[in-house]
């Protein structure tokens, strides 16, 4: 599942290096365009007072979409009133939708599906939702954003300092420009172990 | 009071349905959102916010940018903390 992340990070390592952080969301755009199902990705800042909606991706059909499945372009739109860490994370998450929402049923293209998605996004995490591919993709994209902006490679290198108390989650969040909420979550032993296993061979930093 | 509130909610729901039906009819093939959930977030308030977002876009309150973080200085991830 995380081959997507490994592949993107390998390209980023070659082009920009992975030791220098924060890993820049904007520099990921061409790698996603190369692999994704939209020809172009555009970023747009929207003048709106967001409270909960920190970004959205809107994909448009091209003339050949019906036959190829390829879409013409995607707009990743984010409100201007959020801080840098959340904006970077939200935009990165939306970018991954341009890669992973490959099948028609992964996509939200009608009102009924949009309404169902809003219900599931509000529902408690523990609620059993049944299979609804767009919601599963939402969760997957969020995970991919975290694993890209604060990769396992870096977390494993920093873990001894975190465990000893020499380094706080706040410091790591500040350096990687990732929301502290996700930083804290990403170091949970069970999660870190699972991601390490799923990534397989890690990139040498 | 309750009646007025119910009427507002019905109007809001209709506006959401109408606007997004038009969005999909206009060639949108997929739409997804990143939602940071406040504890008191409801389906109605989320839809209200999504509609506000859409209306801001419709009103042209949009600036195309090439980056969200290009100018951000970088450091080696293990350099002195």
């Amino acid at each position: 599942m995380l081959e997507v992340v490994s592949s993107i990070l390998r390209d980023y390592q070659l082009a920009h290096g992975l030791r220098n952080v924060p890993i820049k969301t904007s520099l990921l755009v061409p790698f996603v365009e190369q692999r994704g199902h939209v020809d172009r990705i555009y970023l747009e800042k929207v003048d709106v007072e967001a409270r909960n909606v920190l970004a959205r991706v809107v994909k448009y059909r091209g003339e050949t979409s019906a036959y190829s499945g390829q879409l013409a372009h995607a707009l990743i739109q984010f409100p201007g009133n959020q801080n840098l860490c959340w904006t970077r994370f939200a935009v990165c998450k939306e970018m991954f939708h341009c890669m992973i929402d490959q099948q028609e049923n992964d996509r939200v293209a009608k009102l009924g599906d949009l309404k169902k998605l809003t219900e599931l996004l509000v529902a408690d995490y523990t609620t059993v939702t049944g299979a609804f591919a767009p919601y599963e993709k939402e969760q997957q994209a969020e995970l991919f954003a975290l694993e890209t902006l604060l990769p396992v490679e870096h977390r494993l290198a920093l873990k001894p300092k975190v465990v000893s108390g020499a380094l706080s989650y706040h410091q790591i969040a500040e350096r990687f420009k990732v929301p502290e909420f996700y930083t804290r979550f990403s170091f949970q032993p069970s999660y870190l172990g699972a991601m390490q296993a799923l990534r397989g061979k890690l990139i040498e930093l | 009071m309750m009646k007025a509130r119910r009427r507002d909610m019905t109007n809001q729901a209709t506006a959401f349905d109408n606007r997004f039906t038009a969005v999909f009819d206009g060639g949108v093939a997929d739409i997804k959102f990143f939602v940071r959930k406040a504890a008191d977030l409801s389906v109605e308030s989320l839809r209200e916010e999504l509609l506000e977002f859409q209306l801001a876009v419709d009103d042209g309150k949009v600036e195309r940018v090439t980056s969200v973080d290009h100018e951000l200085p970088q450091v080696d991830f293990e350099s002195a903390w």
Side-chain angles (χ1 to χ4, degrees):
Chain A
M1 180 174 84
L2 287 175
E3 301 84 7
V4 166
V5 170
S6 296
S7 156
I8 293 272
L9 287 177
R10 264 195 295 275
D11 274 8
Y12 189 98
Q13 162 84 322
L14 284 173
H16 309 291
L18 275 172
R19 287 197 65 90
N20 286 337
V21 298
I23 292 168
K24 295 191 175 182
T25 294
S26 307
L27 297 180
L28 297 167
V29 173
F31 305 136
V32 174
E33 284 174 340
Q34 283 162 18
R35 294 166 170 79
H37 54 267
V38 295
D39 292 335
R40 286 298 307 272
I41 296 171
Y42 299 100
L43 307 179
E44 292 184 339
K45 184 161 72 174
V46 181
D47 183 12
V48 61
E49 284 295 311
R51 301 174 296 279
N52 300 284
V53 179
L54 303 197
R56 71 176 199 172
V57 59
V58 186
K59 301 176 202 163
Y60 291 85
R61 287 188 187 89
E63 284 177 11
T64 59
S65 298
Y67 312 102
S68 65
Q70 188 74 8
L71 300 176
H73 68 276
L75 304 178
I76 297 178
Q77 297 169 319
F78 56 95
N81 71 332
Q82 296 298 311
N83 78 26
L84 180 67
C85 296
W86 280 100
T87 297
R88 278 168 31 80
F89 191 90
V91 168
C92 186
K93 181 256 177 193
E94 296 310 316
M95 210 182 293
F96 270 111
H97 283 296
C98 298
M99 276 183 73
I100 65 175
D101 301 353
Q102 298 275 359
Q103 308 298 322
E104 282 294 323
N105 70 345
D106 295 333
R107 300 175 186 170
V108 171
K110 52 182 192 251
L111 182 66
D113 285 346
L114 176 62
K115 292 172 90 166
K116 186 168 182 179
L117 184 61
T118 58
E119 285 166 14
L120 292 175
L121 286 170
V122 171
D124 190 85
Y125 285 124
T126 55
T127 303
V128 177
T129 58
F132 182 58
Y135 181 64
E136 289 168 12
K137 293 296 176 186
E138 290 281 5
Q139 294 176 312
Q140 215 175 75
E142 189 177 352
L143 184 145
F144 286 3
L146 174 55
E147 293 307 314
T148 302
L149 296 179
L150 182 50
V152 166
E153 286 87 343
H154 300 71
R155 302 207 301 273
L156 289 173
L158 297 174
K159 190 179 159 195
K161 283 186 177 167
V162 172
V163 171
S164 73
L167 202 53
S168 71
Y169 295 124
H170 181 74
Q171 285 174 295
I172 296 170
E174 266 296 307
R175 178 157 290 183
F176 284 79
K177 298 291 181 212
V178 169
E180 192 170 334
F181 167 82
Y182 287 103
T183 304
R184 191 175 292 275
F185 177 76
S186 73
F187 276 90
Q188 284 182 11
S190 57
Y191 177 80
L192 182 55
M195 290 304 110
Q196 188 180 359
L198 284 170
R199 279 285 309 282
K201 187 170 166 26
L202 299 179
I203 297 167
E204 202 168 313
L205 296 175
Chain B
M1 187 91 165
M2 286 291 283
K3 262 188 185 171
R5 185 169 152 68
R6 257 201 308 272
R7 195 166 52 237
D8 281 351
M9 286 175 70
T10 305
N11 290 343
Q12 191 74 32
T14 305
F16 180 89
D17 289 2
N18 290 344
R19 187 62 201 98
F20 280 100
T21 297
V23 164
F24 293 123
D25 288 347
V28 166
D30 190 17
I31 187 164
K32 300 275 169 42
F33 306 93
F34 181 90
V35 178
R36 181 181 56 191
K37 294 199 305 183
D40 59 349
L41 183 67
S42 66
V43 173
E44 290 73 24
S45 61
L46 174 59
R47 287 180 187 165
E48 186 183 336
E49 196 173 332
L50 292 175
L51 182 59
E52 281 172 22
F53 202 117
Q54 180 61 47
L55 293 176
V57 171
D58 293 344
D59 287 346
K61 295 177 180 173
V62 172
E63 177 193 353
R64 188 158 290 182
V65 297
T66 53
S67 167
V68 291
D69 54 9
H70 263 161
E71 303 304 320
L72 211 51
Q74 291 178 302
V75 293
D76 185 280
F77 82 103
E78 288 186 299
S79 64
W81 293 83

